[in-house]
Amino acid sequence: MHRLLFFMLGLLSFCCVFAQRGENVQLKIINNRRQPLTNTTVELLSKDSSLLKIGVSDSTGLVEFKKVLLQKNIFRVSSVGYETSVISFEVSAQNTMKQIILQPAANTLDPVMVSARKLFIELHPDKTIINLEAGIANVGTTVMEALEKLPGVTIDKDGNISLKGRSNVLLMLDGKPTYLNGAELATLLTGMSASQITQVELMDNPSAKFDAAGNAGVINIKTKKNDQRGLNGSITTSLSQGYYPKSNNNFSVNYRSGKINVFASYSLNTARYFTRIYALRTYFKNDGTSTASLLEQPSFIKGEGTTHTLRTGIDYSFNKKTSVGLTLSGLTLKRNTIGNNSALWMRADKTVDSLIATKSDNITAWDNAGAALNFKHSFTSTKELTANIDFIGYRIRSNQFFENNSVIPGNYSEAFRAEIPADIHILSARADYSEQLKNVKLEGGWKSSRITTDNLSAYMHRDGITWREDLGKSNNFLYEETINALYGAAETKLGKLSLQSGLRYEMTGYDANQLGNSVVKDSSFSRKYNSLFPSLSISYEKDSSHTFSISASRRIDRPAFQKLNPFLFIINKYTYQQGNPFYRPQFTWNLALKHLYKNVLITGISYSVTKDYFSQIFLLDSNAILIYTEGNLGRLQNLGVSVGLQLTPSPWWSFSLQTVLNRKKMEGVLASSMVANITQYQINLNNQFRFKKGWSGEVSGFYNSTSQQDIQEIVDPAGQLSVGISKTVLQNKGSLKLAVRDVLYTNWMKGLTYLYNATEYFKVTRDTRVVTLSFTWRFGKLFKATKHSEGAARDEVQRVGNE
């Protein structure tokens, strides 16, 4: 705990730095006829072209910047129909005003080789945008590691993602689902490099245009799309050293000319890593208080993996109204983990009863391919139709080996091995139409998706020296699901009042079949259900400084495909995981009130209630084996308060603070009726510093208090402190970055699980304290970018589940 206190004090100390002295500067923007230019964008840039401040000229052409440093400053001035101008202005106590003349744009313009760095966090009434490229400490990290540093985002020991204290988030990559959940989603995100990501959007109450899945909201991860005119690209390479070495490398290139735009990117991620797990299970006597026995299980797992990611595509514009695009993507991933685990049984007085040593060797190989075709046509300037078709396939192969040997008393040996292949195919299509009437914007659309999975688990058991089929653990699970959706939405503005309403209808049906064998009987189950999902958002712009908003919506979460499969998955000798064929969807009502002040401060209060909420369930069988499964419990209520602050105290320092406070009440019935109440909070701080001669720095971190996502498990506090520095080189075309993540090594995961007549303390530590050196080189010329379609697939983002 003392480390976390030092970590918080260290962060806060950086927030108390005094701003340097500056002067207020006025710029007057005119054209070549000496006429003032209104609504001209003026950006104050640092010497490394980072964006410090931004302003817009008034009706007289004037724009004012406060507290500009007494030095040579760079301003970029741009206005529609005029050439962009970049000027250098020496500010002093006697020199605080300047007139800038913009020239009319010519038919051919020479590009300006200046790029502005965005703020790390952008606050909006409907979402929060995190510009990962603006951060330094994310260098060399994976996408999963970058996500856990974001405001309001938490990740548990199993890789499940929560947003603002609520689990079950709809996670998208470029607006498309990954169709994975839990450990498999964590494996995918851990294999991807954060250098591939440009932005992350956090939406806790999305509109009806988005799929109804995700009661906690939507996290949309946007990959880099270098689609500038001409030939452009970038190369990034990084080397990291924690307990083991790691490397992230990325290359992207784009060529755009006339009606054609071609783009491609490739990423290579290699890593060696470890996971250290300590678990102490305490079994009680029938009185529930006296200790009967203890089971201590320390584990050390080390592994290595390589991930290749490729993305390429082409966009073609037939004319100004019609365009089409094709995107192809692929990922291949291989992981090899070797583990050592011991199970030490002790009597109540902690004398040793028996000791079993377990060795494991697991290999996982993925092949993922996807194709997306998008079409866009503008009938008029106010009428637009878009259509998307997506196909995604996963080929997952997993081989497992476990060997248990008795050390005390030493007369026991057994082993299990398994081949667990899984094939997943997803076909999704959607069409969206929008029309702007005089005072109302109307939107409507349709979407359909079809998912099929084929998951085989073939176990072998060795008792002594002979291998035999373990038919009791083997099965073949077939699953097919279809989801059809329709939605309509309307948006209007009445003076200072903005209204947005929508209604979405989704119909779901699935058929599941577990093929049996001579030991396990065949079983099958089907389900069909449909529901309406309304959404409403009202915002009132009192003046240029204050905006108030209220939003409400109903959402759904469907069980992950694999979690419906009732087969057993071996974790260790005394811990199994099992699916639940009776798993039902959960439904949530969300309500949120927000106040935005000058895009600087956003405060909010929210309330949600979930029926049949998802929860991990921990059961003990008669052989003292812990069976971990998931299912539906009763009702979950969540009251939340959030504060977001984005400040620029001086031109060289930008600071963001995000806090979330939750009060939860969980109700459910397991062996008996259970109620859990908890108050938890999260603090996220980020400081970005811009120094002279192309130097910049970052100090960031987060702290999570004692928290609870499941009715049977409480997680202890944890946090992380990260620092980094950066230097632009090669005439601003390159950058060197050095970062240290989890400086105090406090990003552990530990807590207590409550079982029937037993408890289990656990602590998980990973290779999180890492030093990274990175180099990026950008080539080509910078122009305004175009936008790729996000595609059709949005709904089944994380529902493949665990094997």
Side-chain angles (χ1 to χ4, degrees), residues 22-246:
E23 294 286 344
N24 295 343
V25 172
Q26 282 191 334
L27 303 177
K28 185 175 181 64
I29 317 301
I30 61 175
N31 60 18
N32 59 334
R33 296 182 180 179
R34 318 298 295 183
Q35 299 170 328
L37 294 178
T38 305
N39 294 325
T40 298
T41 300
V42 182
E43 296 165 298
L44 172 61
L45 308 176
S46 67
K47 291 185 178 181
D48 67 345
S49 302
S50 302
L51 178 62
L52 300 177
K53 294 185 179 183
I54 189 169
V56 178
S57 62
D58 59 18
S59 59
T60 65
L62 283 176
V63 60
E64 183 178 35
F65 292 92
K66 297 183 181 298
K67 293 185 178 180
V68 178
L69 292 182
L70 304 181
Q71 62 179 24
K72 184 178 289 186
N73 293 278
I74 300 174
F75 292 90
R76 180 169 65 177
V77 186
S78 57
S79 184
V80 177
Y82 293 88
E83 293 186 7
T84 298
S85 176
V86 178
I87 66 160
S88 178
F89 179 30
E90 184 81 33
V91 177
S92 66
Q94 296 77 32
N95 188 25
T96 60
M97 296 188 65
K98 187 174 182 65
Q99 182 173 274
I100 301 174
I101 302 175
L102 294 186
Q103 300 296 327
N107 291 332
T108 303
L109 297 176
D110 294 327
V112 178
M113 293 300 294
V114 177
S115 61
R117 187 191 301 271
K118 297 180 180 179
L119 293 173
F120 182 71
I121 295 179
E122 299 177 25
L123 302 177
H124 301 273
D126 59 338
K127 61 185 174 183
T128 299
I129 298 176
I130 292 88
N131 297 297
L132 285 188
E133 291 180 298
I136 300 173
N138 289 318
V139 61
T141 63
T142 67
V143 174
M144 180 65 86
E145 291 166 342
L147 280 179
E148 69 177 349
K149 295 173 57 180
L150 301 187
V153 177
T154 54
I155 300 175
D156 69 14
K157 68 180 189 300
D158 300 312
N160 299 306
I161 301 172
S162 299
L163 179 62
K164 291 188 175 180
R166 295 184 293 163
S167 57
N168 298 293
V169 178
L170 176 62
L171 192 142
M172 300 186 294
L173 291 174
D174 291 321
K176 295 176 170 46
T178 62
Y179 303 96
L180 302 173
N181 185 276
E184 291 181 336
L185 178 60
T187 301
L188 175 67
L189 298 179
T190 301
M192 294 180 61
S193 170
S195 62
Q196 300 173 253
I197 309 303
T198 178
Q199 278 187 347
V200 179
E201 296 177 331
L202 308 178
M203 295 171 278
D204 52 3
N205 225 347
S207 68
K209 185 175 182 178
F210 289 86
D211 300 315
N215 89 84
V218 173
I219 298 179
N220 185 29
I221 301 173
K222 292 187 173 183
T223 58
K224 292 180 179 178
K225 302 178 180 67
N226 188 6
D227 49 4
Q228 316 291 342
R229 285 180 291 170
L231 181 66
N232 300 273
S234 66
I235 299 174
T236 299
T237 183
S238 67
L239 295 174
S240 302
Q241 183 64 52
Y243 192 87
Y244 293 116
K246 307 161 190 9

Side-chain angles (χ1 to χ4, degrees), residues 444-479:
W446 151 86
K447 178 189 172 183
S448 289
S449 62
R450 180 176 180 269
I451 304 98
T452 61
T453 70
D454 185 348
N455 189 185
L456 174 68
S457 58
Y459 277 89
M460 301 285 290
H461 177 236
R462 188 198 73 199
D463 188 1
I465 61 174
T466 305
W467 285 98
R468 295 183 177 87
E469 286 185 313
D470 191 345
L471 298 179
K473 295 184 177 66
S474 301
N475 83 344
N476 190 2
F477 183 67
L478 305 177
Y479 181 88

